[in-house]
Amino acid sequence: MIPAPAFLTNPERFMAFSRWAAPMFGAIAVILGLAGLWLGWSAPPDYQQSWTVRILFIHIPTAWLSEFAYACLASASLLSLVWRQLLADAAAQAAAPLGAGFTLLTLATGSLWGRPEWGTWWVWDARLTSELILFLIYLGYMALRASMDDEIKGARAAAILGLVGALILPIIHYSVYWWNTLHQGASVFRSGGSALAPVFFWPVILMVLAYTSAFGSLWLVRIRGEVWRRRADAAALRAARA
Amino acid sequence: MIHLETGKYAFYVWTAYGVSAAVMAVMVAGALAHARRWKAKFEALNQGQVRK
């Protein structure tokens, strides 16, 4: 078995690593985000979507992150469940509110794009509905953790839910192929080349990288917060016993 | 050259960007506040003996 890097399994090393990595990812996100917005807002209107194409510069990155954050949550849940790594449990817990935020943004920006383009704010199409289910899974995950007094039992229950919930990811991805959907199929990366013209493709790519870097930064900060919380809880317990 | 024109779609475009900025701000503030609050509590409990 390939051993995991020490900074991912050892809280002390993780705290040392994240202390400089979190602001670094944050700075990269700001630089890439400004570049993406500058390029995107310099592009002409799309011949079909007109100026609503600008919504895609923030919709596509959040859609990607809604799934990527859940993949991180599920991977950390697996590490937590199988190898009983406390840092992995903190990582899974920290990913949930961020993933929920990005999923909420996906639904909101998609709706704001859909109204002028499709003529409706919402339709129960497979892609939109599966994305809504993902949002509910995030909320369920957080509610489950919050509802259990025993943190160890809560962590195990949440890890199981986190793994089972990962089944939604391929459903979201392939929904546009398995069912007839109003939502279009893959447009950024697909066989035969991107459906986006270069003037839209590059701003989307920069914004995807910027959002991913922002997620990385926020995730590290939230994991650090969880480590501090657990240390504070342990210190409070020691003080109570003394 | 950046141009802020959004034509008749101004409401949809600017609302989308406004909602995104607001949610991102909440996520950033929430993450920083969470980490700072628990670090401060840990420091208080340990009377200044802090691990980095």
Side-chain angles (χ1 to χ4, degrees), chain A residues 147-181:
Chain A
S147 67
M148 298 189 75
D149 290 332
D150 186 330
E151 190 159 358
I152 294 173
K153 284 182 181 173
R156 288 184 64 80
I160 292 168
L161 174 62
L163 282 174
V164 173
L167 290 172
I168 196 68
L169 297 182
I171 294 174
I172 293 173
H173 185 75
Y174 291 107
S175 59
V176 290
Y177 305 110
W178 291 344
W179 294 283
N180 283 322
T181 58

Side-chain angles (χ1 to χ4, degrees), chain A residues 118-141:
Chain A
W118 294 341
T120 180
W121 295 101
W122 179 263
V123 61
W124 292 101
D125 125 317
R127 172 59 69 84
L128 276 67
T129 306
S130 54
E131 191 73 22
L132 177 63
I133 292 171
L134 175 64
F135 181 62
L136 296 176
I137 291 172
Y138 275 123
L139 295 186
Y141 178 91

